[in-house]
Amino acid sequence: MKIGYTLDEKIFKTISPTELLSKTKKMGISSIEVSPDEKILCLKKYFEIAKLSKELDIEINYHVPYFADRFLYEIMSFKEYRRDVKLKYEGLLSIISDIQNITCKPSILIIHGASFTGENKEEALYNTLKFLDWLLNFLDRNNIKLKLALETLNKNESVIGNSREDILYILNQFTGSKLGVCLDICHDASNYYPGKVSIDDDFYNSIIYCHIHGIDIKESISHIALKNSDIDFKQQINFLVDKNFKGILNLELLVSFCGDSYLKDLYDDIDYLKTMIFT
């Protein structure tokens, strides 16, 4: 198992990409996760990060940047605004392809299922299937070396993927494709809380990527440091180690929730995971 972290662009007001990536590489990270969109950073900056990552031998994986354009990245929009949604995702994949041309490495894109309101979950599931079918075919037709990882989400959110049953149903529709599971350990564990997480081999065998971050249950805040989390994830981490999981365990800490302690929290959590995984 390798350790990665989400590259939160907000921290570049405090530290440069060169300083951050160099320091975390020395600490033992193997990957960063980027949400590329020109509303967030200019393309030149993404390409600089890609060149630096290649020099440091750091993988780059991706997350759909929902916060940059919630409407067009939202799969539920695919039904009525198909052309616009396709253009948006083609733009995202173009940026990813340009970055891959620099890094010369395949990668993974983390994606959420469609959101829904009221009783239209079946419609959201249908839209999710139709969208994934288009996207997977687009990747194959254009020979883009990218796998998709459908993320496990919180059951308190009305979104496809807020249960393992949703995820496994969708995977069964795309057997043999480039689609796998992004296990968000925090979301998944909170769905079972205060009970024990189910350790299901069939589900775990489909995991190609992982997110991990802390959660404050009382305040309903996640994406905080593991050391501040109300849920302990040792069982899940140990299970992945025992199963000899070879993928990325990505720390998904965000500046918006960690505040001024973000860098210290990130460094402390990297050290914590190294202790858990490598000793």
Side-chain angles (χ1 to χ4, degrees):
M1 186 155 42
K2 296 177 283 189
I3 300 171
Y5 67 95
T6 294
L7 194 66
D8 189 333
E9 300 83 358
K10 293 185 180 72
I11 201 58
F12 294 155
K13 295 176 182 177
T14 303
I15 188 171
S16 71
T18 301
E19 291 175 287
L20 180 59
L21 268 66
S22 297
K23 178 175 176 61
T24 51
K25 175 63 179 181
K26 289 177 183 176
M27 294 181 72
I29 68 98
S30 301
S31 167
I32 55 173
E33 183 179 298
V34 176
S35 298
D37 190 288
E38 289 187 81
K39 289 183 180 178
I40 304 168
L41 288 177
C42 67
L43 291 181
K44 181 181 177 182
K45 183 63 70 175
Y46 287 120
F47 299 153
E48 288 174 359
I49 291 169
K51 290 174 185 175
L52 178 61
S53 296
K54 184 175 183 179
E55 290 170 8
L56 294 172
D57 192 25
I58 295 174
E59 296 177 26
I60 302 183
N61 293 294
Y62 305 91
H63 196 300
V64 175
Y66 295 103
F67 54 90
D69 194 333
R70 170 63 65 176
F71 182 76
L72 288 180
Y73 284 124
E74 167 56 56
I75 291 176
M76 206 58 170
S77 302
F78 190 64
K79 179 181 178 182
E80 294 185 40
Y81 301 93
R82 183 165 303 195
R83 180 178 178 277
D84 293 331
V85 171
K86 283 183 177 181
L87 286 173
K88 190 67 177 175
Y89 273 87
E90 287 171 6
L92 170 63
L93 294 173
S94 177
I95 297 173
I96 291 173
S97 294
D98 287 343
I99 292 174
Q100 286 182 328
N101 287 336
I102 296 170
T103 61
C104 302
K105 289 184 179 181
S107 44
I108 295 172
L109 172 65
I110 289 76
I111 192 164
H112 296 175
S115 299
F116 59 90
T117 56
E119 298 178 356
N120 66 344
K121 180 175 180 179
E122 286 190 15
E123 182 184 5
L125 178 58
Y126 177 79
N127 281 344
T128 300
L129 293 171
K130 292 292 287 184
F131 175 80
L132 289 174
D133 183 62
W134 168 75
L135 186 53
L136 288 164
N137 280 304
F138 184 88
L139 295 176
D140 286 340
R141 284 197 311 273
N142 292 278
N143 195 30
I144 299 173
K145 294 178 173 59
L146 186 69
K147 291 182 179 179
L148 301 182
L150 190 60
E151 185 173 353
T152 56
L153 300 168
N154 194 300
K155 67 181 180 182
N156 295 325
E157 299 178 46
S158 296
V159 60
I160 299 299
N162 65 3
S163 71
R164 291 187 180 184
E165 290 75 20
D166 283 353
I167 299 284
L168 288 174
Y169 177 80
I170 292 169
L171 286 178
N172 286 335
Q173 311 307 306
F174 297 102
T175 304
S177 72
K178 293 180 177 179
L179 180 66
V181 175
C182 170
L183 172 66
D184 188 303
I185 292 174
C186 178
H187 295 160
D188 188 63
S190 65
N191 287 347
Y192 288 91
Y193 186 83
K196 268 184 111 174
V197 172
S198 171
I199 302 298
D200 179 343
D201 273 358
D202 287 340
F203 178 74
Y204 276 81
N205 287 338
S206 301
I207 296 167
I208 61 173
Y209 192 87
C210 293
H211 280 163
I212 190 165
H213 50 92
I215 182 170
D216 182 324
I217 293 171
K218 183 179 178 182
E219 299 295 329
S220 295
I221 296 173
S222 59
H223 301 289
I224 60 173
L226 297 177
K227 62 186 178 183
N228 298 327
S229 181
D230 290 332
I231 300 179
D232 188 337
F233 306 115
K234 287 179 184 175
Q235 179 193 12
Q236 294 95 305
I237 296 171
N238 287 333
F239 185 80
L240 290 168
V241 172
D242 291 343
K243 296 293 288 184
N244 200 27
F245 177 64
K246 297 292 188 183
I248 300 295
L249 180 58
N250 185 81
L251 279 161
E252 200 181 19
L253 276 60
L254 298 177
V255 173
S256 297
F257 299 108
C258 295
D260 293 339
S261 67
Y262 171 82
L263 283 175
K264 184 177 189 312
D265 289 344
L266 176 64
Y267 301 153
D268 287 349
D269 277 0
I270 291 171
D271 283 336
Y272 171 75
L273 288 183
K274 281 167 53 183
T275 301
M276 286 285 297
I277 294 169
F278 302 124
T279 60

